[in-house]
């Protein structure tokens, strides 16, 4: 069997190509080329040609790709109650690597319908009701969606008692897929099967709808959105393989120009005795995306969240200077820091994006006063025992101070109630190995795990 | 027979877990579909669970003496959520000290409960009434 692979990440700006030799568990060549949005095959071919490898070897290698080009996978998630099936549906979509444009609870209104038409989602995830539970809501919402002027692929993952009926409400022109309920019982989250169905739909439908299939003549296929590949790699590292123990609980952080992604792997159960867990369980592999925290397109909303004064003080700049530079960056996202000072600002902002992104991702403790005294209640995941935080994505990787950026993940004394990693080690995905290994993980988990470990732990890079 | 769904929980900051577990088992054995929210359950959680599961009844427990404060407004929330006519029972130690039972019962009926049970009520005292109330 051929054990040479070329793994491709068709990103929004760059197409990154990584050739690996599984037998040796090493990277043999890497290259990248600008992504060419109108026909991604052009950038892909340039990337392949830039690989310093004999052409025959490229020819015999298997080629797998993931993609976040053409806006990534854009989804709308619908459920019944905000804190229950809506939350579960959102988690399923995020875990499938989607950008969740909007979520909806209860019955869709005429305005909601218009908004969905405007949003033009690639896929709609329709949930609502536990198994045997509420049916009225999902049936209503299916009727509203069935009347959308343009068909949208619909993944149905709600009350299974009416899944078939819901499917039947859509006209032939709609592609509909039934997945197991994202919340079959109160307090039980089942997001993996729906994630897998979404990935299938992405692979079979969305890739064509976006014209990404033009790349098909060079490769086997585009198998998943890039964030889903990163999630898989993180999970593989955390859980290990049949023969090798994993790293245990860990976190992956990706700061981008527009968003900050945080992935965590771990049960998130209370690390301290006597803490009562409240609310819904959270997925073992959890992804959150913060659309207002980015260091280019979203820099102004990032500053708003953090406070311009905070950043200015940290750097010893005036607020006006910080704002002026931020405005330039948001207008010209391709701008790179030109001097030491601007580099410092870049790193400081990225660190704040990590700080806020991780803060929203992790669980928190709160005090509850009861007749018998004080008890501690935990909402969300306790990630204080996470030992490793991996930074990926251009902003972290290209910085000369990646550790400084990633240190925003750790707990601080002024926020003791946030369940952030206490004293993690920081690793940087310098060779962009996460997404490619996520692609490989399904078929070759052992090799992907060995490669990830080799590359991430190597200090000599 | 059609299966009816019950949402169970101990309301407020109350951590008395034993009775809740016993009720869960007894109702399940009696053929009900039981959604047990456990202890420390807020009003919002009762309402949301009842909505998602299309529940037929809500069974509230309160043992620690703060029932009156904890349940105030629950019926209104249910009405707001569109399931205002759902059957609702309460039991446990509802008040502190010795008060006339008929007064206690009256008070909690005014707060929106269809049936109110005194301390040490056994599941078998409740199940036949519940069946009848649900038309089984
Ligand atoms: C064990 C216990 C505790 C344990 C609980 C451990 C746990 N995690 O479960 C601990 C030590 C934590 C505790 C703490 C407190 N407790 Co305490 N506790 C008890 C005790 C001794 C037993 C409770 C029990 O498990 N009973 C067994 C179960 C099977 O019975 P049950 O809960 O009553 O439930 C049955 C029925 O009531 C009924 N039922 C219950 N709910 C419902 C609902 C419906 C709809 C229906 C139909 C029926 C129904 O069905 C159940 C099954 O038959 C009782 C006294 C007693 N003997 O009952 C005091 C008691 C309940 N506690 C009491 C008090 C005051 C407290 C504290 C405030 C004390 C304090 N100041 O520290 C705290 C409150 C803590 C909190 N935030 O909730 C008082 C309540 C007085 C009141 N309401 O007026 C009691 C009655 C003791 C007393 N005589 O003073 N307690």
């Amino acid at each position: 069997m051929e054990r040479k692979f070329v793994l491709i990440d068709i990103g929004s700006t760059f197409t990154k190509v990584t050739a690996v030799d599984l037998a040796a568990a090493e990277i043999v060549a890497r290259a990248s080329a600008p992504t060419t949005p109108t026909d991604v095959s052009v950038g892909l071919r340039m990337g392949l040609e830039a690989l310093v490898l004999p052409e025959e070897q490229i020819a015999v290698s298997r080629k797998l790709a993931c993609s976040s080009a053409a806006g990534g996978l854009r989804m709308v998630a619908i459920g019944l109650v905000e804190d229950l099936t809506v939350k579960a549906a959102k988690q399923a979509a995020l875990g499938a690597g989607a950008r969740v444009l909007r979520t909806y609870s209860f019955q869709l209104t005429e305005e909601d319908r218009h908004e969905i038409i405007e949003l033009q989602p690639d896929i709609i995830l329709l949930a609502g009701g536990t198994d045997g539970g509420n049916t009225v809501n999902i049936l209503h919402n299916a009727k509203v969606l069935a009347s959308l002027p343009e068909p949208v692929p619909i993944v149905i993952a709600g009350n299974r008692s009416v899944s078939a009926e819901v499917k039947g409400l859509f006209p032939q022109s709609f592609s509909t897929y039934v997945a197991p309920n994202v919340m079959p019982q109160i307090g039980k989250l089942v997001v993996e099967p729906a994630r897998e169905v979404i990935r299938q739909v992405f692979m079979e439908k969305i890739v064509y709808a976006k014209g990404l299939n033009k790349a098909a003549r060079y490769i086997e296929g585009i198998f998943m959105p890039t964030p889903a590949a990163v999630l898989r790699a993180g999970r593989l590292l955390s859980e290990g393989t049949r023969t090798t123990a994993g790293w245990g609980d860990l976190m992956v952080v990706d700061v981008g120009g527009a968003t900050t992604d945080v992935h965590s792997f771990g049960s998130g159960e209370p690390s301290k005795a006597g803490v009562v867990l409240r609310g819904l369980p959270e997925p073992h592999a959890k992804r959150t995306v913060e659309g207002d925290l980015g260091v280019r397109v979203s820099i102004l909303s990032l500053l708003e969240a953090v406070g311009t004064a905070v950043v200015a003080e940290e750097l010893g700049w005036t607020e006006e200077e910080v704002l002026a530079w931020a405005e330039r960056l948001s207008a010209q996202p391709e701008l790179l820091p030109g001097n030491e000072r601007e580099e410092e600002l870049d790193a400081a902002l990225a660190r704040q994006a990590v700080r806020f992104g991780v803060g929203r991702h992790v669980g928190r403790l709160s005090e509850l006063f009861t007749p018998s005294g004080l008890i501690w209640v935990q909402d969300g995941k306790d990630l204080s025992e996470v030992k490793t935080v991996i930074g990926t994505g251009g902003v972290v990787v290209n910085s000369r101070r990646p550790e400084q950026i990633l240190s925003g993940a750790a707990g601080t004394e002024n926020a003791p109630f946030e369940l952030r990693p206490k004293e993690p080690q920081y690793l940087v995905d310098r060779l962009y190995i996460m997404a490619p290994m996520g692609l490989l993980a399904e078929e070759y988990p052992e090799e992907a795990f060995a490669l990830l470990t080799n590359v991430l732990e190597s200090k000599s890079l | 027979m059609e299966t009816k769904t019950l949402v169970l929980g101990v309301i407020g900051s109350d951590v008395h877990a034993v009775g809740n577990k016993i009720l869960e088992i007894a109702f399940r054995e009696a053929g009900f579909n039981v959604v047990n929210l456990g202890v420390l359950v807020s009003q919002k959680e009762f309402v949301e669970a009842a909505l998602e599961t299309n529940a037929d009844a809500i069974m509230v427990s309160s043992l620690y003496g703060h029932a009156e404060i904890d349940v105030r407004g629950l019926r209104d929330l249910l009405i707001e959520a569109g399931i205002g006519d759902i059957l609702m029972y309460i039991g446990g130690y509802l008040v502190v000290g010795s008060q006339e039972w008929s007064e206690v019962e009256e008070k909690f009926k005014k707060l929106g409960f269809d049936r109110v049970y005194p301390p040490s009520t056994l599941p078998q005292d409740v199940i036949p009434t519940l069946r009848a109330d649900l038309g089984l």
Side-chain angles (χ1 to χ4, degrees):
Chain A
M1 195 195 309
E2 196 45 67
R3 307 252 287 157
K4 295 192 185 341
F5 276 80
V6 174
L7 303 157
I8 300 131
D9 174 8
I10 308 173
S12 48
T13 41
F14 287 103
T15 298
K16 297 181 272 294
V17 182
T18 310
V20 296
D21 183 335
L22 294 197
E26 62 185 25
I27 297 179
V28 291
R30 300 166 54 230
S32 76
T35 295
T36 44
T38 40
D39 179 356
V40 290
S41 71
V42 176
L44 172 61
R45 209 187 51 233
M46 290 196 302
L48 289 174
E49 280 166 3
L51 277 179
V52 185
L53 268 191
E55 217 163 289
E56 321 80 70
Q57 189 172 334
I58 300 181
V60 298
S61 294
R62 287 184 56 191
K63 299 177 201 68
L64 317 178
C66 57
S67 166
S68 54
L73 172 59
R74 303 167 74 257
M75 287 185 66
V76 156
I78 301 170
L80 171 53
V81 172
E82 191 69 49
D83 277 343
L84 298 171
T85 46
V86 176
K87 206 168 165 186
K90 184 175 181 189
Q91 256 311 311
L94 285 170
R99 267 177 62 200
V100 178
L101 307 170
R102 179 105 158 69
T103 60
Y104 295 92
S105 56
F106 297 100
Q107 301 200 346
L108 292 170
T109 63
E110 191 52 30
E111 289 82 67
D112 296 339
R113 182 174 163 275
H114 280 290
E115 195 178 48
I116 293 172
I117 296 171
E118 301 270 298
L119 288 170
Q120 297 189 303
D122 298 319
I123 301 177
I124 296 176
L125 177 59
L126 177 57
T130 52
D131 285 347
N134 182 290
T135 57
V136 178
N137 207 79
I138 194 170
L139 289 168
H140 168 91
N141 289 344
K143 279 185 205 130
V144 173
L145 296 176
S147 74
L148 290 173
E150 296 287 335
V152 182
I154 310 276
V155 174
I156 301 160
N159 184 352
R160 65 186 283 267
S161 318
V162 287
S163 289
E165 199 179 328
V166 168
K167 189 177 163 74
L169 288 170
F170 288 92
Q172 284 291 307
S173 55
F174 279 71
S175 313
T176 51
Y177 308 82
V178 174
N181 195 346
V182 286
M183 185 176 283
Q185 299 163 25
I186 293 293
K188 191 165 173 205
L189 204 60
V190 181
V191 290
E192 296 298 332
R195 284 178 181 179
E196 187 51 30
V197 172
I198 294 167
R199 194 182 71 82
Q200 291 287 339
V201 179
F202 173 80
M203 201 166 81
E204 288 160 15
K205 279 242 143 350
I206 308 309
V207 161
Y208 289 88
K210 289 181 179 291
L212 297 170
N213 57 312
K214 289 187 184 136
R217 58 193 146 136
Y218 299 114
I219 58 179
E220 262 174 62
I222 299 177
F223 292 92
M224 58 189 87
T226 303
V230 172
L231 193 81
R232 278 188 182 212
R235 187 162 161 187
L236 177 68
L237 259 185
S238 167
E239 291 174 4
T241 67
R242 228 175 313 151
T243 61
T244 322
W247 294 10
D249 292 0
L250 60 87
M251 189 179 267
V252 178
V253 181
D254 179 352
V255 184
T259 60
T260 293
D261 276 36
V262 179
H263 309 241
S264 67
F265 307 88
S267 74
E269 264 152 39
S271 58
K272 278 196 266 326
V275 173
V276 185
L277 196 56
R278 183 166 65 186
L280 268 192
E282 301 220 332
H284 195 92
K286 174 183 173 184
R287 171 171 177 250
T288 48
V289 180
E290 306 303 334
D292 61 335
L293 306 177
V295 293
R296 289 293 179 275
V297 183
S298 315
I299 193 165
L300 295 176
S301 50
L302 169 66
L303 271 184
E304 198 175 312
V306 177
T308 311
V310 175
V311 180
E313 184 176 333
E314 185 181 330
L315 293 165
W317 293 29
T318 66
E319 282 187 47
E320 290 70 36
E321 286 175 311
V322 171
L323 259 181
W325 178 237
E327 268 157 16
R328 276 189 65 198
L329 283 181
S330 93
Q332 293 166 265
E334 66 292 341
L335 217 61
L336 289 173
N339 56 39
E340 179 77 10
R341 246 182 127 225
E342 289 167 2
E343 233 172 65
E344 266 176 38
L345 176 71
D346 238 25
L349 284 171
R351 194 181 72 87
Q352 294 291 359
V354 172
R355 189 163 77 87
F356 275 72
V358 170
R360 294 178 194 169
H361 181 100
V362 300
R364 25 184 57 61
L365 284 179
S366 52
E367 300 170 322
L368 188 66
F369 293 95
T370 75
S372 50
L374 188 76
I375 58 171
W376 287 97
V377 178
Q378 174 185 330
D379 288 279
K381 281 172 108 170
D382 181 348
L383 298 170
S384 57
E385 298 300 317
V386 160
K387 292 286 177 272
T388 309
V389 174
I390 301 171
T392 185
V395 174
V396 178
V397 174
N398 296 331
S399 169
R400 288 201 289 167
R401 317 154 205 269
E403 268 88 10
Q404 184 197 330
I405 295 175
L406 293 176
S407 71
T412 58
E413 307 221 322
N414 21 357
F417 296 160
E418 295 180 346
L419 297 165
R420 298 165 172 272
K422 267 194 303 237
E423 286 172 337
Q425 62 160 338
Y426 300 110
L427 297 178
V428 181
D429 181 19
R430 289 197 172 76
L431 302 184
Y432 296 104
I433 192 75
M434 296 292 285
M437 291 308 109
L439 276 169
L440 208 54
E442 190 85 334
E443 252 184 288
Y444 292 99
E446 301 288 346
E447 289 81 354
F449 185 83
L451 257 156
L452 275 169
T453 314
N454 286 351
V455 173
L456 288 172
E457 285 187 336
S458 157
K459 295 275 177 249
S460 60
L461 294 167
Chain B
M1 184 191 89
E2 178 191 2
T3 317
K4 297 285 186 182
T5 298
L6 311 178
V7 169
L8 231 69
V10 186
I11 200 162
S13 312
D14 193 334
V15 298
H16 291 91
V18 183
N20 167 264
K21 208 71 213 164
I22 289 178
L23 289 175
E24 174 183 342
I25 295 165
F27 287 140
R28 189 160 287 146
E29 279 175 358
F32 292 98
N33 175 27
V34 181
V35 177
N36 190 2
L37 305 177
V39 298
L40 290 175
V41 181
S42 68
Q43 292 194 1
K44 180 167 173 268
E45 287 169 308
F46 275 106
V47 176
E48 293 183 342
L51 257 180
E52 289 273 13
T53 60
N54 206 25
D56 301 286
I58 296 178
M59 315 296 273
V60 178
S61 293
S62 177
L63 282 297
Y64 71 157
H66 299 259
E68 193 182 336
I69 302 169
D70 287 343
V71 302
R72 186 168 287 152
L74 177 55
R75 181 57 83 181
D76 290 339
L77 279 187
L78 291 164
I79 294 169
E80 201 65 66
I83 49 173
D85 52 4
I86 192 170
L87 189 68
M88 192 158 66
Y89 287 11
I90 189 167
Y93 287 78
L94 299 180
V95 289
V96 184
S98 54
Q99 292 184 32
E100 194 62 49
W101 177 248
S102 60
E103 281 172 27
V104 176
E105 190 176 9
E106 187 57 24
K107 183 187 289 178
F108 282 88
K109 285 201 163 160
K110 278 215 181 96
L111 284 164
F113 291 89
D114 299 290
R115 295 194 189 273
V116 186
Y117 289 88
S120 333
T121 300
L122 296 174
Q124 53 264 41
D125 305 335
V126 184
I127 289 167
T129 321
L130 182 59
R131 283 221 170 94
D133 281 352
L134 291 171
L136 294 175

